[in-house]
Amino acid sequence: ATSLKTAYQQDFLIGAALSASIINQADPQLVTLIARDFNSITPENCMKWGEIRNADGSWKWADADAFVAFGEQHNLHMVGHTLVWHSQIPTPYLKIKTVITSAKQPCRKKCRSTSPPLAGRYKGKLHAWDVVNEAVDDNLKMRESHWYKILGEDFIYQAFNLAHEVDPKAHLLYNDYNIERTGKREATIEMIKRLQKRGMPIHGLGIQGHMGIDTPPIAEVEKSIIEFAKLGLRVHFTELDIDVLPSVWELPVAEISTRFEYKPERDPYTKGLPQEMQDKLARRYEDLFKLFLKHADKIDRVTLWGVSDDASWLNDFPIRGRTNYPLLFDRQHEPKPAYFRVLDLK
Ligand code: XIL
C-alpha cells in the first residue's frame, strides 16, 4: 500500500489530532502528508471550551471553523473534541463552583449555554463527538469535577442527551485514558452500564491510548476492546501515542514534589533515539496494530494524538521541555521505522 489510510481502508479509519497551528500555517508538505495518510481528524485543542469562549462569555470560533473547513476541503471524517470536560475551560466556569456549589440550575445552564452552540454549529459536519471526557478518576471513583460535585453522575446523562438532541446523527462517544488497563476499565464499564440502563444515547467508547513503551501489555488492551464491544458499543482509539521516556508516575507519593521536575536523567534521548529504542517502538506499534486488525470488526477508528514528534504534547507532559518520540513521523516529518511496520502489516 502507498499510505496508511489506503492500507487500512477495509479495517478502520486512521486519524490524527491536528493543532490550530498546523491548520493555520498550512505547510504544504505537512498538508500533503496528512491528506495522504489519514482519513479522520480530531482538533487537538481548538474545540475545548477554554478555546472557544472568551472570559466575558463571547465566542471565538476562528480556529474551530478553520479546522472544519480543512476537513471538508480534504474530505476527512471529523471528530469533535470535547463537549464536557473538567479541564481547559474558561475561568468564569470555575468560579461557579465556589459561588453556587449547591445550585443545580445555574450549572445546567452553563452546560446548556456552551455544549449546544458548539455541537449545533457543526451539525452534520462532524461525524462523532467525544461528549464526555475523563469522568472516572485514577482512584477508580467518579472524578470530583465541578460538574460531578453539583449534578452527580447525571451530568453525563444530560450531556449525552443534549448532544443527541442537538445533532441526532452524530456518533456519541465516552472518552477516557488508562481504560485499556485493569481497574479503570472495570470502573468505566460499571458507569456505562448504569447510564445505559437509563437509556442514555451512547454509541462508542473512546480509548485514548496514551501508552508506555512496555505497558499496558497487549493482552490488557485486548481485554478492553472485547469488554467494551460487549456493551454494544463501537471501539475507537482516540489519542494513541507511545511515551518512550522514563515514567514518573510510579515514584513514591513522598516524592510527589520532585515528580514533575525536569532532570536530565528523565530526558535521556535529547540527541536522538538510539537504534535499539527505535526498534522497540516500531515493534510496540506493530503489536498494537496487529491486535487492532484482529478486532477490526469491533473497531471504527485508530487516531494518533498528533502527526510528528516535534509537535507532540508528550514533549511537555507530564514534565516540560523533554525530547519525546511517541508518533509515526519524526521531527523532519519523515516516516519512522514504526510507520513502515504498521504499513507493512497489510
Ligand atoms: C492535550 C493537548 O495535546 C495539549 O496541547 C494541551 O496543552 C493539553 O491537552 N487527554 C485529552 C486531550 O483528552 O485533550 C489532551 O490534549 C491529552 C490528554
Side-chain angles (χ1 to χ4, degrees):
T2 51
S3 80
L4 293 179
K5 77 170 180 199
T6 49
Y8 287 85
Q9 63 187 351
Q10 305 297 330
D11 306 301
F12 38 73
L13 294 165
I14 302 280
L18 300 186
S19 66
S21 65
I22 288 188
I23 305 251
N24 293 333
Q25 284 166 13
D27 166 15
Q29 263 174 317
L30 200 53
V31 171
T32 306
L33 182 164
I34 292 164
R36 184 197 64 200
D37 276 302
F38 301 99
N39 45 20
S40 173
I41 55 172
T42 306
E44 184 173 0
N45 288 300
C46 73
M47 284 189 190
K48 294 170 181 172
W49 287 18
E51 301 291 319
I52 54 152
R53 297 213 85 167
N54 298 308
D56 65 2
S58 60
W59 303 91
K60 38 176 172 176
W61 296 111
D63 288 343
D65 285 355
F67 171 88
V68 173
F70 182 92
E72 286 184 328
Q73 187 190 341
H74 298 283
N75 198 19
L76 303 166
H77 171 275
M78 287 184 262
V79 183
H81 176 80
T82 169
L83 285 181
V84 182
W85 190 25
H86 64 277
S87 185
Q88 289 181 272
I89 46 181
T91 26
Y93 286 90
L94 283 175
K95 280 194 194 137
I96 61 165
K97 175 177 71 172
T98 44
V99 180
I100 46 120
T101 347
S102 60
K104 298 195 171 175
Q105 220 35 49
C107 185
R108 287 210 178 94
K109 236 172 94 189
K110 286 287 174 196
C111 235
R112 289 198 83 95
S113 70
T114 293
S115 287
L118 181 51
R121 187 173 180 90
Y122 305 113
K123 180 178 170 178
K125 298 185 172 182
L126 299 183
H127 303 87
W129 266 106
D130 292 338
V131 178
V132 171
N133 200 23
E134 304 181 350
V136 180
D137 210 341
D138 298 339
N139 61 12
L140 311 187
K141 300 201 172 84
M142 296 301 292
R143 181 187 298 278
E144 295 279 332
S145 66
H146 42 290
W147 308 121
Y148 183 78
K149 279 191 195 146
I150 299 170
L151 298 177
E153 202 168 279
D154 202 47
F155 90 88
I156 304 173
Y157 180 80
Q158 298 220 10
F160 275 84
N161 277 294
L162 215 49
H164 187 59
E165 210 177 281
V166 172
D167 193 353
K169 288 199 183 122
H171 184 90
L172 304 183
L173 292 138
Y174 174 75
N175 194 51
D176 212 332
Y177 63 89
N178 281 358
I179 58 174
E180 71 281 21
R181 299 169 194 246
T182 187
K184 232 176 130 167
R185 170 179 53 235
E186 289 76 17
T188 301
I189 290 172
E190 288 315 308
M191 177 191 81
I192 298 290
K193 279 187 177 163
R194 291 195 294 274
L195 292 160
Q196 282 181 322
K197 220 179 254 171
R198 296 175 63 190
M200 187 180 85
I202 177 171
H203 315 112
L205 214 297
I207 301 174
Q208 289 186 4
H210 296 293
M211 301 201 202
I213 187 79
D214 293 310
T215 64
I218 295 295
E220 277 295 301
V221 184
E222 177 162 39
K223 196 159 177 217
S224 290
I225 297 171
I226 293 171
E227 295 296 318
F228 291 147
K230 275 192 199 153
L231 295 170
L233 301 175
R234 301 297 300 164
V235 176
H236 299 237
F237 283 82
T238 54
E239 307 185 10
L240 182 64
D241 50 19
I242 298 172
D243 192 338
V244 301
L245 294 178
S247 170
V248 291
W249 299 110
E250 58 265 15
L251 286 180
V253 179
E255 287 177 43
I256 212 153
S257 59
T258 73
R259 247 195 199 182
F260 307 114
E261 269 170 33
Y262 181 88
K263 290 182 183 162
E265 64 269 28
R266 292 177 184 166
D267 190 18
Y269 309 128
T270 52
K271 296 205 170 65
L273 201 58
Q275 194 57 48
E276 188 192 303
M277 274 306 281
Q278 191 75 261
D279 292 344
K280 197 170 172 186
L281 180 71
R283 279 199 304 276
R284 179 85 168 138
Y285 264 111
E286 179 177 359
D287 290 346
L288 282 167
F289 272 80
K290 264 189 193 155
L291 176 73
F292 301 156
L293 281 173
K294 180 174 170 195
H295 294 286
D297 60 328
K298 307 172 186 66
I299 298 175
D300 273 3
R301 169 173 59 99
V302 176
T303 289
L304 280 292
W305 201 244
V307 179
S308 57
D309 288 342
D310 54 315
S312 164
W313 76 304
L314 289 178
N315 295 306
D316 290 304
F317 182 87
I319 294 174
R320 289 201 155 274
R322 295 197 295 183
T323 309
N324 215 333
Y325 300 83
L327 297 167
L328 297 178
F329 292 89
D330 68 16
R331 287 176 160 69
Q332 284 70 47
H333 303 167
E334 294 296 330
K336 291 157 65 174
Y339 173 95
F340 293 108
R341 290 281 189 114
V342 170
L343 191 66
D344 291 347
L345 276 177
K346 293 294 297 184

Short mmCIF file of all heavy atoms in Angstrom, two decimals, residues 195-233:
data_model
loop_
_atom_site.label_atom_id
_atom_site.label_comp_id
_atom_site.label_asym_id
_atom_site.label_seq_id
_atom_site.Cartn_x
_atom_site.Cartn_y
_atom_site.Cartn_z
N LEU A 195 -25.55 4.02 33.10
CA LEU A 195 -26.12 5.05 32.23
C LEU A 195 -26.95 4.43 31.10
O LEU A 195 -27.99 4.98 30.71
CB LEU A 195 -25.00 5.93 31.67
CG LEU A 195 -24.30 6.79 32.74
CD1 LEU A 195 -22.94 7.26 32.27
CD2 LEU A 195 -25.18 7.99 33.11
N GLN A 196 -26.49 3.31 30.58
CA GLN A 196 -27.25 2.63 29.52
C GLN A 196 -28.60 2.14 30.04
O GLN A 196 -29.59 2.16 29.32
CB GLN A 196 -26.45 1.44 28.96
CG GLN A 196 -25.34 1.86 28.00
CD GLN A 196 -24.58 0.68 27.45
OE1 GLN A 196 -24.34 -0.30 28.16
NE2 GLN A 196 -24.18 0.75 26.19
N LYS A 197 -28.61 1.72 31.30
CA LYS A 197 -29.85 1.27 31.92
C LYS A 197 -30.91 2.38 31.90
O LYS A 197 -32.10 2.13 31.84
CB LYS A 197 -29.58 0.83 33.37
CG LYS A 197 -30.35 -0.41 33.75
CD LYS A 197 -30.02 -0.82 35.19
CE LYS A 197 -29.12 -2.05 35.22
NZ LYS A 197 -28.64 -2.33 36.59
N ARG A 198 -30.43 3.62 31.97
CA ARG A 198 -31.35 4.77 31.94
C ARG A 198 -31.67 5.18 30.50
O ARG A 198 -32.32 6.20 30.28
CB ARG A 198 -30.72 5.96 32.67
CG ARG A 198 -30.49 5.72 34.14
CD ARG A 198 -29.77 6.89 34.79
NE ARG A 198 -30.56 8.12 34.74
CZ ARG A 198 -30.09 9.33 35.06
NH1 ARG A 198 -28.83 9.47 35.46
NH2 ARG A 198 -30.85 10.39 34.98
N GLY A 199 -31.16 4.44 29.54
CA GLY A 199 -31.48 4.73 28.15
C GLY A 199 -30.65 5.86 27.54
O GLY A 199 -31.06 6.49 26.55
N MET A 200 -29.48 6.11 28.09
CA MET A 200 -28.66 7.20 27.55
C MET A 200 -28.16 6.88 26.14
O MET A 200 -27.66 5.79 25.89
CB MET A 200 -27.45 7.42 28.48
CG MET A 200 -26.63 8.63 28.09
SD MET A 200 -25.21 8.86 29.19
CE MET A 200 -24.03 7.76 28.40
N PRO A 201 -28.32 7.84 25.21
CA PRO A 201 -27.84 7.59 23.85
C PRO A 201 -26.31 7.67 23.76
O PRO A 201 -25.74 8.74 23.80
CB PRO A 201 -28.48 8.72 23.03
CG PRO A 201 -28.75 9.81 24.03
CD PRO A 201 -28.95 9.16 25.37
N ILE A 202 -25.66 6.51 23.69
CA ILE A 202 -24.20 6.44 23.52
C ILE A 202 -23.88 5.38 22.49
O ILE A 202 -24.53 4.33 22.46
CB ILE A 202 -23.50 6.14 24.88
CG1 ILE A 202 -21.98 5.99 24.68
CG2 ILE A 202 -24.08 4.91 25.57
CD1 ILE A 202 -21.17 5.89 25.96
N HIS A 203 -22.91 5.67 21.62
CA HIS A 203 -22.64 4.75 20.51
C HIS A 203 -21.24 4.18 20.51
O HIS A 203 -20.98 3.16 19.89
CB HIS A 203 -22.90 5.46 19.17
CG HIS A 203 -24.18 6.24 19.17
ND1 HIS A 203 -24.22 7.61 19.11
CD2 HIS A 203 -25.46 5.83 19.28
CE1 HIS A 203 -25.48 8.02 19.15
NE2 HIS A 203 -26.25 6.96 19.27
N GLY A 204 -20.32 4.87 21.18
CA GLY A 204 -18.94 4.40 21.11
C GLY A 204 -18.16 4.69 22.38
O GLY A 204 -18.54 5.53 23.19
N LEU A 205 -17.09 3.92 22.53
CA LEU A 205 -16.20 4.09 23.67
C LEU A 205 -14.84 4.52 23.12
O LEU A 205 -14.27 3.82 22.27
CB LEU A 205 -16.10 2.72 24.36
CG LEU A 205 -15.94 2.69 25.87
CD1 LEU A 205 -14.63 3.35 26.28
CD2 LEU A 205 -17.10 3.39 26.57
N GLY A 206 -14.34 5.65 23.58
CA GLY A 206 -13.04 6.15 23.11
C GLY A 206 -11.95 5.80 24.11
O GLY A 206 -11.92 6.30 25.22
N ILE A 207 -11.07 4.89 23.68
CA ILE A 207 -9.89 4.57 24.49
C ILE A 207 -8.81 5.56 24.05
O ILE A 207 -8.35 5.51 22.91
CB ILE A 207 -9.42 3.12 24.21
CG1 ILE A 207 -10.53 2.11 24.52
CG2 ILE A 207 -8.13 2.82 24.98
CD1 ILE A 207 -10.18 0.67 24.14
N GLN A 208 -8.43 6.49 24.93
CA GLN A 208 -7.44 7.49 24.50
C GLN A 208 -6.17 6.79 24.00
O GLN A 208 -5.66 7.11 22.94
CB GLN A 208 -7.12 8.45 25.64
CG GLN A 208 -8.25 9.42 25.96
CD GLN A 208 -7.87 10.46 26.99
OE1 GLN A 208 -6.73 10.54 27.45
NE2 GLN A 208 -8.83 11.29 27.38
N GLY A 209 -5.65 5.84 24.79
CA GLY A 209 -4.48 5.09 24.33
C GLY A 209 -3.16 5.84 24.44
O GLY A 209 -2.31 5.73 23.56
N HIS A 210 -3.00 6.62 25.51
CA HIS A 210 -1.67 7.18 25.78
C HIS A 210 -0.90 6.09 26.50
O HIS A 210 -1.09 5.86 27.69
CB HIS A 210 -1.80 8.44 26.66
CG HIS A 210 -2.53 9.54 25.98
ND1 HIS A 210 -2.01 10.19 24.88
CD2 HIS A 210 -3.74 10.10 26.21
CE1 HIS A 210 -2.88 11.11 24.47
NE2 HIS A 210 -3.94 11.07 25.26
N MET A 211 -0.04 5.38 25.75
CA MET A 211 0.56 4.17 26.30
C MET A 211 2.05 4.34 26.54
O MET A 211 2.69 5.26 26.06
CB MET A 211 0.33 3.01 25.32
CG MET A 211 -1.15 2.77 25.07
SD MET A 211 -1.46 1.13 24.46
CE MET A 211 -3.06 1.39 23.68
N GLY A 212 2.57 3.40 27.33
CA GLY A 212 4.00 3.36 27.57
C GLY A 212 4.66 2.39 26.60
O GLY A 212 3.97 1.63 25.91
N ILE A 213 5.97 2.40 26.59
CA ILE A 213 6.70 1.52 25.68
C ILE A 213 6.54 0.05 26.08
O ILE A 213 6.56 -0.84 25.24
CB ILE A 213 8.20 1.95 25.57
CG1 ILE A 213 8.96 1.17 24.50
CG2 ILE A 213 8.91 1.88 26.91
CD1 ILE A 213 8.71 1.64 23.11
N ASP A 214 6.33 -0.21 27.37
CA ASP A 214 6.12 -1.59 27.83
C ASP A 214 4.72 -1.85 28.39
O ASP A 214 4.31 -3.00 28.49
CB ASP A 214 7.12 -1.94 28.94
CG ASP A 214 8.55 -1.98 28.42
OD1 ASP A 214 8.80 -2.64 27.40
OD2 ASP A 214 9.42 -1.32 29.04
N THR A 215 4.04 -0.81 28.79
CA THR A 215 2.73 -1.02 29.43
C THR A 215 1.65 -0.21 28.73
O THR A 215 1.95 0.85 28.18
CB THR A 215 2.75 -0.59 30.91
OG1 THR A 215 2.99 0.82 30.95
CG2 THR A 215 3.78 -1.33 31.70
N PRO A 216 0.39 -0.66 28.78
CA PRO A 216 -0.03 -1.95 29.32
C PRO A 216 0.32 -3.09 28.36
O PRO A 216 0.52 -2.84 27.17
CB PRO A 216 -1.55 -1.78 29.43
CG PRO A 216 -1.90 -0.82 28.35
CD PRO A 216 -0.73 0.10 28.22
N PRO A 217 0.33 -4.34 28.88
CA PRO A 217 0.56 -5.48 27.99
C PRO A 217 -0.57 -5.59 26.96
O PRO A 217 -1.69 -5.17 27.23
CB PRO A 217 0.53 -6.69 28.93
CG PRO A 217 0.46 -6.17 30.31
CD PRO A 217 0.12 -4.72 30.27
N ILE A 218 -0.22 -6.15 25.80
CA ILE A 218 -1.19 -6.27 24.70
C ILE A 218 -2.47 -7.00 25.15
O ILE A 218 -3.58 -6.64 24.77
CB ILE A 218 -0.54 -7.01 23.51
CG1 ILE A 218 0.62 -6.17 22.93
CG2 ILE A 218 -1.56 -7.33 22.42
CD1 ILE A 218 0.22 -4.86 22.30
N ALA A 219 -2.30 -8.01 26.02
CA ALA A 219 -3.47 -8.79 26.47
C ALA A 219 -4.47 -7.90 27.23
O ALA A 219 -5.68 -8.13 27.17
CB ALA A 219 -3.02 -9.96 27.35
N GLU A 220 -3.95 -6.90 27.95
CA GLU A 220 -4.83 -5.97 28.67
C GLU A 220 -5.62 -5.12 27.67
O GLU A 220 -6.82 -4.90 27.84
CB GLU A 220 -3.99 -5.04 29.55
CG GLU A 220 -3.61 -5.63 30.88
CD GLU A 220 -4.84 -5.89 31.74
OE1 GLU A 220 -5.57 -4.94 32.03
OE2 GLU A 220 -5.05 -7.05 32.10
N VAL A 221 -4.93 -4.63 26.67
CA VAL A 221 -5.60 -3.80 25.66
C VAL A 221 -6.69 -4.63 24.98
O VAL A 221 -7.82 -4.16 24.77
CB VAL A 221 -4.59 -3.29 24.60
CG1 VAL A 221 -5.27 -2.35 23.61
CG2 VAL A 221 -3.40 -2.60 25.28
N GLU A 222 -6.37 -5.90 24.69
CA GLU A 222 -7.33 -6.78 24.03
C GLU A 222 -8.57 -6.98 24.89
O GLU A 222 -9.70 -6.93 24.39
CB GLU A 222 -6.68 -8.14 23.72
CG GLU A 222 -7.67 -9.12 23.10
CD GLU A 222 -6.99 -10.29 22.41
OE1 GLU A 222 -5.97 -10.78 22.95
OE2 GLU A 222 -7.48 -10.69 21.32
N LYS A 223 -8.35 -7.16 26.18
CA LYS A 223 -9.49 -7.37 27.08
C LYS A 223 -10.43 -6.16 27.04
O LYS A 223 -11.66 -6.31 27.03
CB LYS A 223 -8.97 -7.61 28.50
CG LYS A 223 -10.01 -8.21 29.38
CD LYS A 223 -9.44 -8.90 30.60
CE LYS A 223 -10.62 -9.39 31.44
NZ LYS A 223 -10.40 -9.29 32.86
N SER A 224 -9.86 -4.97 27.00
CA SER A 224 -10.70 -3.77 26.96
C SER A 224 -11.51 -3.70 25.67
O SER A 224 -12.70 -3.38 25.69
CB SER A 224 -9.83 -2.51 27.09
OG SER A 224 -9.31 -2.42 28.40
N ILE A 225 -10.87 -4.01 24.54
CA ILE A 225 -11.60 -3.99 23.26
C ILE A 225 -12.80 -4.93 23.35
O ILE A 225 -13.93 -4.56 23.00
CB ILE A 225 -10.67 -4.41 22.10
CG1 ILE A 225 -9.51 -3.42 21.93
CG2 ILE A 225 -11.47 -4.55 20.79
CD1 ILE A 225 -8.43 -3.87 20.95
N ILE A 226 -12.55 -6.14 23.83
CA ILE A 226 -13.61 -7.15 23.89
C ILE A 226 -14.72 -6.74 24.86
O ILE A 226 -15.91 -6.80 24.53
CB ILE A 226 -13.01 -8.53 24.29
CG1 ILE A 226 -12.09 -9.02 23.16
CG2 ILE A 226 -14.10 -9.55 24.59
CD1 ILE A 226 -11.27 -10.25 23.50
N GLU A 227 -14.33 -6.29 26.05
CA GLU A 227 -15.33 -5.93 27.07
C GLU A 227 -16.17 -4.71 26.65
O GLU A 227 -17.37 -4.67 26.88
CB GLU A 227 -14.64 -5.65 28.41
CG GLU A 227 -13.95 -6.86 29.02
CD GLU A 227 -14.91 -7.98 29.40
OE1 GLU A 227 -15.99 -7.67 29.93
OE2 GLU A 227 -14.59 -9.16 29.13
N PHE A 228 -15.52 -3.73 26.05
CA PHE A 228 -16.27 -2.53 25.62
C PHE A 228 -17.24 -2.88 24.48
O PHE A 228 -18.36 -2.39 24.44
CB PHE A 228 -15.32 -1.41 25.20
CG PHE A 228 -14.53 -0.82 26.34
CD1 PHE A 228 -13.25 -0.33 26.14
CD2 PHE A 228 -15.07 -0.74 27.61
CE1 PHE A 228 -12.51 0.21 27.20
CE2 PHE A 228 -14.35 -0.20 28.68
CZ PHE A 228 -13.06 0.27 28.47
N ALA A 229 -16.80 -3.76 23.59
CA ALA A 229 -17.67 -4.16 22.48
C ALA A 229 -18.90 -4.91 23.01
O ALA A 229 -20.00 -4.79 22.46
CB ALA A 229 -16.90 -5.02 21.48
N LYS A 230 -18.70 -5.64 24.12
CA LYS A 230 -19.82 -6.39 24.71
C LYS A 230 -20.91 -5.46 25.23
O LYS A 230 -22.04 -5.88 25.45
CB LYS A 230 -19.31 -7.24 25.88
CG LYS A 230 -18.76 -8.58 25.46
CD LYS A 230 -18.57 -9.44 26.71
CE LYS A 230 -17.60 -10.58 26.42
NZ LYS A 230 -16.91 -11.00 27.66
N LEU A 231 -20.57 -4.20 25.46
CA LEU A 231 -21.58 -3.23 25.90
C LEU A 231 -22.45 -2.78 24.73
O LEU A 231 -23.33 -1.94 24.90
CB LEU A 231 -20.91 -2.01 26.53
CG LEU A 231 -20.11 -2.21 27.82
CD1 LEU A 231 -19.31 -0.97 28.17
CD2 LEU A 231 -21.06 -2.57 28.97
N GLY A 232 -22.13 -3.31 23.56
CA GLY A 232 -22.89 -2.90 22.37
C GLY A 232 -22.35 -1.60 21.78
O GLY A 232 -23.03 -0.91 21.01
N LEU A 233 -21.10 -1.26 22.13
CA LEU A 233 -20.52 0.00 21.66
C LEU A 233 -19.41 -0.26 20.65
O LEU A 233 -18.74 -1.30 20.70
CB LEU A 233 -19.92 0.76 22.86
CG LEU A 233 -20.90 1.13 23.98
CD1 LEU A 233 -20.13 1.76 25.14
CD2 LEU A 233 -21.97 2.07 23.46
#
